[in-house]
Every structure is written in C-alpha cells, then in structure tokens.
Amino acid sequence: MSNFNQERVLSVHHWTDNLVSFTTTRDPSFRFRSGEFTMIGLTFDERPLLRAYSLASAHYEDRLEFFAIKVPDGPLTSRLQQLKEGDEIIVSRKATGTLVIDNLEYGRNLYLIGTGTGLAPFLSVIKDPATYLRFKNVALLHGCRRIEDLAYGEMITGKLPSDELVGDFARYQLIYHPTVTRDRFCNCGRITDLIASGKLFSDIELPELDPQHDRVMICGSPALVRDARELLVAKGFIEGNHGQPAQFVLEKEFAERNN
Ligand code: A2P
C-alpha cells in the first residue's frame, strides 16, 4: 500500500502575492492531532515533489487545509501558485510534530506564538475543544511584516466565535493578538520585543510569563524560533517534546526559504 493518499483540491485562496491557502479532500483513514504536520506534494515529471506542511484544518473536519508561503523559485511553492480547484495532490498517510498539547505540562495559560505561515499549526489548535478544556486562556499571537499578511484574522474574530463546536470556548477563552512590524497598525512590534518589554501583557491583560502557570508553543522562521526560545529559557522555561512534556515546544515553520 502506498504511503500517500491522492487528494483533490477543493478550494484555493490567495491572500497576497506570497500567501496561499488551499483545502483538499480528506481520506477518512487519515488521522492527526491538532498542531501536527504532514508531507504533501505534487507529482512532477512523474516524480513526487514533497514538503512538510502543518495541518491548518481541525482534526474533525472532513477536508484538509494548508497555509503556505509562495517562494518564486521554490520547487514546490512556485507550483502551488498555479494550484486550482480539481487538481490532484498527494498527502502522506501519517502526521507528526511537536506542537501538540500533550507535549506540554498542565498550566493556566497557553501562548501560541506564530509568525508568518507559522500560524498554520495553531489554526487547528484553536479549533480543538481539547485545547480549551486543558487551558483557561489561549493567547494566539500572530506576528507578520505587513497588515495584509495577517491571514485568517477574519476567521478567528468573525467566524470562530459563532462556531457550533468551539464558539463558546473561543468567545470566553481565546485572545487573538495580531501584530505587524512594517506597517502602522493597532499592535506593532516583534512578538519577542512585546514580551520582553511587558507591553504584550498589559495589552492582553494577562500576567507576565511565568513557567509555573504558562505554556508556550512557537512556530516561525528559524530566527524567530531561536530568539523566542532564548527568551523563554532565560525566564526559566523548560522545553518539552514527545514523551517529555514540559513548559514550551517549538517548530520551525515549513517554508521553502530563499533568504
Ligand atoms: P521584522 O519585520 O522586524 O523582521 P518573516 O516574514 O521574516 O518570517 O517575519 C514575520 C514576522 O516575524 C515579522 O514581523 C518579523 O519582524 C518577525 N521576526 C522575524 N525575525 C524575528 C526574530 N528573530 N524575533 C522576533 N520576530 C521576528
């Protein structure tokens, strides 16, 4: 049996010239936990061209969703640019990843720090009732260069609060805090700087980060992941992983980077 399922593209949404989301059919046997990633790809010259992508859809949805950055000379993402409804893509039968709540100890507040398409795994995390049963407050911090890059804001603030399954949780427990660094916006600055200065906490009305009560997931560029990790370690946070739950977990966003 092949390690991949053949799926069909159901919709494509271009947020900007660089950012695209698409949904596909989902083989009923495909299982994943919120926050995990899988390998997806296109068959090109009869050879599969595969990359890891976080699952942005909830584990209970009957379609899969992916959020990707398009890199002009990226072998796969340059082709994703032309993706259209009805196209076939291949999706691994397996999902994995460290950004799952089981890799975190119990705590009061869950911080989800995502920059760029590093938001993707957290979209499934915030649509999962288990997240809200485990944590009292869930703070989703999305950092981007530009306002136009703040994809999914409308879904998070508009649709999610009235969702049949997680609407009540989202209304009372989810704090969405988008911030940009290269435009004027209501929230400006790098997430790491907002944490270090304490501005974030006065803005979202939660106490400063404390390893005793807070748990953190990080996903973004290698530089963001490195700096956010340093910041947390300096505050006494311990990194967790499979079989060793602790106070924070991290993963680099899956992007074909040319910088
Ligand atoms: P900045 O505009 O100051 O570089 P990218 O698209 O490069 O992944 O960046 C997404 C967001 O993450 C941007 O707002 C960017 O800020 C920010 N960022 C990039 N590197 C870091 C870092 N090392 N620490 C904190 N934020 C970062």
Side-chain angles (χ1 to χ4, degrees):
M1 192 171 74
S2 157
N3 292 329
F4 291 88
N5 292 316
Q6 193 90 21
E7 304 292 1
R8 193 165 35 84
V9 173
L10 296 171
S11 65
V12 182
H13 180 76
H14 295 273
W15 302 94
T16 66
D17 288 347
N18 301 322
L19 297 171
V20 63
S21 289
F22 54 95
T23 61
T24 73
T25 50
R26 173 183 182 173
D27 188 284
S29 68
F30 179 65
R31 295 270 175 275
F32 65 96
R33 295 186 292 172
S34 307
E36 287 189 324
F37 66 88
T38 190
M39 302 297 291
I40 68 167
L42 301 170
T43 309
F44 182 67
D45 279 349
E46 295 186 12
R47 292 219 320 267
L49 195 57
L50 295 164
R51 291 287 180 278
Y53 277 97
S54 294
L55 289 141
S57 40
H59 67 80
Y60 49 80
E61 286 176 302
D62 60 6
R63 48 174 70 188
L64 301 176
E65 182 159 353
F66 302 95
F67 176 36
I69 186 163
K70 301 177 270 182
V71 179
D73 51 5
L76 179 64
T77 55
S78 59
R79 293 186 173 89
L80 287 181
Q81 198 138 1
Q82 279 119 44
L83 204 65
K84 52 186 188 327
E85 221 179 290
D87 285 354
E88 299 275 324
I89 74 161
I90 48 179
V91 178
S92 168
R93 290 179 183 276
K94 284 202 199 119
T96 185
T98 50
L99 302 175
V100 294
I101 57 171
D102 287 346
N103 288 346
L104 293 172
E105 292 169 357
Y106 280 81
R108 193 181 296 161
N109 306 311
L110 174 65
Y111 284 86
L112 305 170
I113 299 179
T115 55
T117 55
L119 175 73
F122 304 140
L123 294 170
S124 67
V125 172
I126 61 167
K127 286 190 258 179
D128 190 344
T131 304
Y132 302 98
L133 295 172
R134 179 80 75 95
F135 298 97
K136 185 165 173 242
N137 298 297
V138 179
L140 173 61
L141 318 177
H142 188 201
C144 290
R145 296 180 185 187
R146 305 266 176 210
I147 296 171
E148 62 174 15
D149 301 331
L150 290 171
Y152 289 97
E154 173 54 28
M155 185 280 282
I156 297 164
T157 56
K159 263 175 76 182
L160 203 61
S162 51
D163 183 83
E164 207 176 311
L165 187 65
V166 292
D168 283 348
F169 290 127
R171 270 202 311 283
Y172 296 110
Q173 293 171 251
L174 179 64
I175 300 162
Y176 170 59
H177 193 77
T179 175
V180 303
T181 43
R182 304 189 192 188
D183 276 331
R184 284 168 69 102
F185 187 56
C186 51
N187 307 312
C188 286
R190 290 182 161 197
I191 294 171
T192 43
D193 293 340
L194 298 176
I195 291 174
S197 69
K199 181 168 186 328
L200 174 75
F201 307 102
S202 50
D203 284 350
I204 66 174
E205 297 178 1
L206 283 180
E208 297 235 358
L209 280 183
D210 176 346
Q212 209 187 333
H213 300 300
D214 299 321
R215 303 293 169 254
V216 187
M217 292 188 184
I218 306 163
C219 189
S221 64
L224 171 277
V225 167
R226 183 198 60 221
D227 291 352
R229 177 196 218 196
E230 261 175 33
L231 188 82
L232 290 177
V233 168
K235 287 181 181 291
F237 280 76
I238 297 166
E239 187 176 343
N241 52 47
H242 293 294
Q244 193 89 57
Q247 294 151 352
F248 76 95
V249 283
L250 51 83
E251 211 154 70
K252 289 181 194 123
E253 71 181 319
F254 301 105
E256 287 184 316
R257 290 192 161 262
N258 57 1
N259 57 358

